[in-house]
Amino acid sequence: ERPGGSKEPLASGRGLNYGYLLSAVLLVAVVALLWSPWKKEVQQVSPVVRFSVKLPDNAPLQGGTSGLAISPDGKYFVYRAHVTNGTQLYIHRMDQLTSQALPGTENANEPAFSPDGQWIVFGANLKLIKVSITGGAPEVICPLPNATRGIFWASDNTILFGIVNDAIFRVPAAGGTPIQVTSLDSTGGEISHRFPQLLPDGKTILFTVKHNNITTFDDAIIVAQKLDNSERKVLIRGGAYPKYLPTGYLTYMRGNSMLAVAFDVDHVEIKGTAVAVEQGGWFLQGAGNATMDFSSNGTLVFAPTGAQTGNANSLSWMDRTGKLSPLYDTLKPYTVALLSPDGQKIALGINAANNDVWVYHIARSVLSRITFGGGNNDNPIWSPDGKYIVYSAEKGKTQNLFRKPWDGGGNEERLTTSPNFQVANSFTPDGKILSFNEKGDIWILNMEGDHKSQPFIQTPATETDGFFSPDGKWMVYTSDETGKKEVYVTSFPEHRGKWQVSNGGGGGALWSRDGKELFYFNGSTIMKVDVLAQGGTFDFSVPRKLCEEAPDTDTQDISVDGKLFLVRVAQTQRVTLPELEVVTNWFQVVENKFAANRN
């Protein structure tokens, strides 16, 4: 349109020149906008890629704990591997095909990376330990009163960790004395706080609360608490293992799913309803652990299997060739199975969020419960006369020793009081002395009078088991004093002499009921030793292989006649996995899930 409102066409010569000039100017402007250095960067959306990582055949993932962590930059992940005679951490570089063992990480649990990705912290043998990703000697940060339940290395170079039967603690990564940062509401039935994470403000932590009346961690609660004034807010009722995503969501585990919910981190508030964003994660419903983690840049690594209440298993007899014959086919997550002195009953620990002790009467095929919640009750053993069962029970911040008539008809009696976790092992034949484990040492308890206890084998090494011979003159136990678990025997009660029975690793020793044979385990191999003890010297034969344990079995006890082993047989759930799943740009996956729901 021309000035003055005329709608006549422009003159042909001059008008064409003006048009070409205008077009050229517009073209230059567009090119300048597209290529100028001050243009705004166009955001590229990275693709989502899913792939599997195959783990070494001799080092698959060990289930049953939080055994997986990824570095903040997503270049490495570390996992808890099942290896001969135990577990060890393995590290995997994302740009390589193989995984490598990390020396010095035997028996490690719950690894977590430092913020710079150069260190890994973990719990092992009642110690909090760190190790460089490049190797080198592990460094002890602090001793632990019990096993960890969640470890988080904060950006201020302190480490937060939960403890079985206890609260959340904080310790400098350089080492020091842990400081308690949360408090259990025992009047409200709180048993433990676990799986902490410090939010970006550096003042608020997320964690899971376990109560003494829940059956699974599907019924646990997730809270946020201020560190400076203990102000606490319940965020989620029904779930565990919370993790904050920097994109404004909170993930947690429930059943077979990883769930996410919108989260206002500034006001510490949940927004809207949760959405299932992934299936898997190997959620351990009896402890609240999960096998999943994600990096700061959004790479997810997780176990591609669903929830686990515990290793659901049956009970069988196994002969000396490894052949099985069924004993009790009802599937439950049995933790311990020990025969009564007369061989007619089995004391069982059954796993749940709060474990309980049960007794199975073999001839009657009847399973009876003898403890009833109020915290964990587990690790039962029989008194020599078969009248009582001694077990570990939570009555406060830890598990001490209690006993109760095997039929559940009498009152529960406390035997010990200690701030440390205790597990009963064995009685002398007369029932006057009980051996038990506490803080990696072997203690003995006088069952008469004032129930006084004292250490029997106490060294810097970790000693476990501690089983009296049928005549009460010897004790067999396991120690890692050489850097490897081996089986030893010492005299009782003098504790004179020490004889190494195993050669090349071993543990979990069992006496035959007549005391003439000693069995121990090297991986899945059952080794046998003939006992030739005379006088004050323990004499024995060279160990020889008896048989291989049947697949998916865990030997628990030996029959009265010594011909059969009582074993747990895993039936429905795996205890190891051969591979892990990886998802890149997983934060976008989460965002897409919520966008789909909004639409």
Side-chain angles (χ1 to χ4, degrees):
E1 191 172 288
R2 296 190 63 184
S6 173
K7 296 183 181 181
E8 295 179 7
L10 291 172
S12 58
R14 185 177 174 182
L16 284 173
N17 290 337
Y18 180 81
Y20 280 126
L21 179 62
L22 180 60
S23 298
V25 170
L26 288 173
L27 178 63
V28 170
V30 169
V31 171
L33 284 172
L34 289 174
W35 295 101
S36 65
W38 60 81
K39 78 179 184 71
K40 185 176 181 180
E41 186 71 26
V42 176
Q43 296 295 319
Q44 298 293 326
V45 177
S46 300
V48 174
V49 179
R50 292 176 178 266
F51 59 93
S52 300
V53 175
K54 188 179 185 307
L55 305 177
D57 291 339
N58 62 347
L61 174 73
Q62 173 72 55
T65 185
S66 310
L68 178 65
I70 189 169
S71 60
D73 59 11
K75 293 181 178 179
Y76 301 86
F77 69 77
V78 64
Y79 74 97
R80 180 180 181 239
H82 176 81
V83 296
T84 301
N85 292 324
T87 60
Q88 185 174 6
L89 294 184
Y90 271 59
I91 191 166
H92 182 92
R93 283 185 54 156
M94 289 294 194
D95 60 355
Q96 296 182 357
L97 295 176
T98 59
S99 305
Q100 303 293 329
L102 275 175
T105 61
E106 291 76 13
N107 305 317
N109 279 310
E110 304 195 311
F113 276 91
S114 61
D116 63 6
Q118 297 303 299
W119 291 84
I120 296 165
V121 60
F122 58 91
N125 304 322
L126 296 179
K127 299 180 183 71
L128 193 65
I129 302 170
K130 65 180 180 181
V131 66
S132 170
I133 64 170
T134 59
E139 301 176 20
V140 175
I141 297 172
C142 65
L144 298 171
N146 211 331
T148 57
R149 285 295 181 266
I151 302 174
F152 180 80
W153 195 321
S155 58
D156 63 358
N157 220 28
T158 62
I159 295 171
L160 292 160
F161 58 93
I163 291 286
V164 171
N165 315 114
D166 215 331
I168 306 294
F169 291 80
R170 194 175 197 175
V171 66
T177 301
I179 298 173
Q180 185 173 329
V181 297
T182 68
S183 297
L184 296 173
D185 179 11
S186 56
T187 60
E190 293 185 2
I191 290 289
S192 72
H193 297 163
R194 46 186 70 188
F195 316 122
Q197 182 187 11
L198 190 66
L199 290 177
D201 65 2
K203 301 175 183 178
T204 309
I205 57 172
L206 295 172
F207 58 93
T208 303
V209 178
K210 173 190 172 183
H211 285 85
N212 64 8
N213 61 350
I214 64 172
T215 302
T216 79
F217 270 79
D218 282 343
D219 302 320
I221 66 172
I222 294 170
V223 305
Q225 179 175 312
K226 295 292 185 182
L227 291 174
D228 54 359
N229 61 11
S230 298
E231 177 188 344
R232 189 192 296 183
K233 181 184 292 186
V234 175
L235 301 177
I236 295 165
R237 295 185 182 275
Y241 210 72
K243 287 179 176 287
Y244 170 68
L245 275 65
T247 50
Y249 295 93
L250 186 69
T251 66
Y252 62 99
M253 301 297 302
R254 195 169 198 273
N256 294 316
S257 300
M258 301 180 211
L259 299 165
V261 64
F263 183 60
D264 183 342
V265 69
D266 294 325
H267 297 92
V268 194
E269 290 180 353
I270 296 295
K271 300 292 185 180
T273 57
V275 172
V277 294
E278 208 75 55
Q279 296 297 303
W282 213 351
F283 180 45
L284 189 62
Q285 291 173 301
N289 309 70
T291 306
M292 61 83 70
D293 197 15
F294 49 81
S295 65
S296 299
N297 57 10
T299 298
L300 170 73
V301 59
F302 69 101
T305 190
Q308 182 179 2
T309 59
N311 183 31
N313 47 70
S314 61
L315 301 175
S316 288
W317 294 115
M318 183 177 73
D319 68 18
R320 291 188 173 213
T321 69
K323 182 181 179 181
L324 296 177
S325 55
L327 171 61
Y328 185 50
D329 288 334
T330 299
L331 298 181
K332 290 186 180 295
Y334 307 116
T335 60
V336 175
L338 292 180
L339 286 161
S340 60
D342 62 7
Q344 299 301 306
K345 299 176 287 293
I346 303 173
L348 297 162
I350 297 184
N351 186 43
N354 290 288
N355 299 357
D356 275 303
V357 175
W358 299 63
V359 171
Y360 176 64
H361 198 292
I362 298 173
R364 299 174 186 168
S365 297
V366 174
L367 182 66
S368 303
R369 184 176 179 178
I370 71 166
T371 65
F372 297 87
N376 283 315
N377 302 278
D378 208 347
N379 304 299
I381 71 167
W382 293 89
S383 62
D385 60 9
K387 294 180 179 180
Y388 290 90
I389 290 177
V390 174
Y391 53 94
S392 304
E394 265 176 335
K395 307 294 180 185
K397 289 186 176 182
T398 191
Q399 290 189 34
N400 290 159
L401 302 182
F402 292 75
R403 73 174 176 180
K404 195 172 186 180
W406 76 266
D407 60 3
N411 294 325
E412 184 178 66
E413 178 187 0
R414 177 184 280 271
L415 300 176
T416 61
T417 300
S418 171
N420 304 312
F421 183 86
Q422 299 171 319
V423 176
N425 289 322
S426 173
F427 278 97
T428 52
D430 58 11
K432 294 180 179 180
I433 300 294
L434 170 70
S435 71
F436 64 94
N437 291 136
E438 179 175 342
K439 292 193 71 175
D441 297 314
I442 297 173
W443 289 59
I444 55 175
L445 172 69
N446 186 348
M447 294 297 293
E448 298 179 325
D450 59 0
H451 296 325
K452 183 180 180 181
S453 63
Q454 63 186 53
F456 179 64
I457 302 177
Q458 190 172 42
T459 75
T462 298
E463 288 88 20
T464 57
D465 306 329
F467 300 118
F468 293 113
S469 60
D471 62 7
K473 295 180 179 179
W474 312 97
M475 176 184 283
V476 62
Y477 64 98
T478 303
S479 174
D480 63 0
E481 61 185 67
T482 65
K484 179 185 291 186
K485 289 183 178 181
E486 300 283 4
V487 177
Y488 299 86
V489 168
T490 188
S491 64
F492 185 83
E494 300 88 359
H495 189 20
R496 294 199 193 106
K498 180 176 65 175
W499 295 268
Q500 183 175 327
V501 174
S502 62
N503 184 13
L510 291 171
W511 296 97
S512 63
R513 298 295 175 109
D514 61 9
K516 295 180 180 181
E517 295 174 306
L518 189 59
F519 305 92
Y520 68 89
F521 301 85
N522 188 327
S524 61
T525 302
I526 302 179
M527 304 296 293
K528 174 183 176 294
V529 170
D530 294 319
V531 177
L532 311 169
Q534 292 181 355
T537 300
F538 186 76
D539 193 12
F540 57 97
S541 69
V542 174
R544 65 179 179 85
K545 177 179 176 179
L546 181 69
C547 68
E548 290 290 325
E549 285 185 295
D552 299 317
T553 62
D554 182 16
T555 302
Q556 297 288 293
D557 206 350
I558 190 167
S559 63
V560 174
D561 62 10
K563 295 180 180 181
L564 300 170
F565 296 98
L566 175 63
V567 299
R568 296 180 305 173
V569 185
Q571 296 287 343
T572 60
Q573 294 176 320
R574 307 187 63 160
V575 295
T576 63
L577 282 179
E579 62 184 22
L580 291 165
E581 295 295 309
V582 177
V583 185
T584 65
N585 199 26
W586 187 65
F587 294 164
Q588 187 61 47
V589 173
V590 175
E591 184 61 50
N592 291 345
K593 292 281 186 178
F594 280 87
N597 276 8
R598 286 193 292 268
N599 294 334

